[in-house]
Amino acid sequence: MMSKRQIDSPLYTVPDAAKYLQLNVETFRELLKYGFIKSLDLGCRKVPRTELDHFIDKWTGQDIKGALRKAEDKDNTVVSSPLDSDFFEALKRDD
């Protein structure tokens, strides 16, 4: 449970921010990674409470799990172009 001081703080650590949103830390880190929530790097990652409140306002009633899955899928997609394969084929021929 978060103390009153932690709740009133303008900046949260990642674990405290996850508690504020009632998420596990791993899920919260994914939200940070894919830009759903902005944070500050002040030696350790800090999340403004206003950013957490904005996230709640924006995503209430929305499918955040689906949006997060799409972000993960997009991140895992390997894009190749014919130019890349031609370049590497030319390198092989030069050996």
Side-chain angles (χ1 to χ4, degrees), residues 4-51:
K4 176 149 175 50
R5 181 172 169 246
Q6 288 170 311
I7 292 170
D8 292 338
S9 175
L11 295 174
Y12 288 79
T13 63
V14 168
D16 285 341
K19 285 179 192 174
Y20 185 86
L21 294 179
Q22 299 179 358
L23 297 171
N24 66 46
V25 174
E26 293 79 22
T27 299
F28 189 83
R29 287 188 190 282
E30 288 180 12
L31 292 172
L32 289 173
K33 177 181 177 181
Y34 295 111
F36 290 94
I37 297 174
K38 297 176 187 170
S39 64
L40 304 166
D41 188 357
L42 302 172
C44 67
R45 186 83 29 208
K46 297 284 186 167
V47 183
R49 188 175 71 203
T50 55
E51 185 65 24

Side-chain angles (χ1 to χ4, degrees), residues 32-95:
L32 289 173
K33 177 181 177 181
Y34 295 111
F36 290 94
I37 297 174
K38 297 176 187 170
S39 64
L40 304 166
D41 188 357
L42 302 172
C44 67
R45 186 83 29 208
K46 297 284 186 167
V47 183
R49 188 175 71 203
T50 55
E51 185 65 24
L52 299 173
D53 293 336
H54 174 73
F55 175 82
I56 292 168
D57 291 342
K58 180 176 180 178
W59 287 99
T60 296
Q62 304 296 316
D63 182 15
I64 186 63
K65 287 184 179 181
L68 190 53
R69 275 193 302 276
K70 285 181 185 177
E72 290 171 340
D73 290 345
K74 185 177 178 182
D75 191 44
N76 292 327
T77 302
V78 177
V79 178
S80 64
S81 71
L83 179 63
D84 294 335
S85 60
D86 292 344
F87 174 77
F88 288 110
E89 287 301 317
L91 284 177
K92 288 180 187 175
R93 286 190 295 259
D94 288 342
D95 287 344

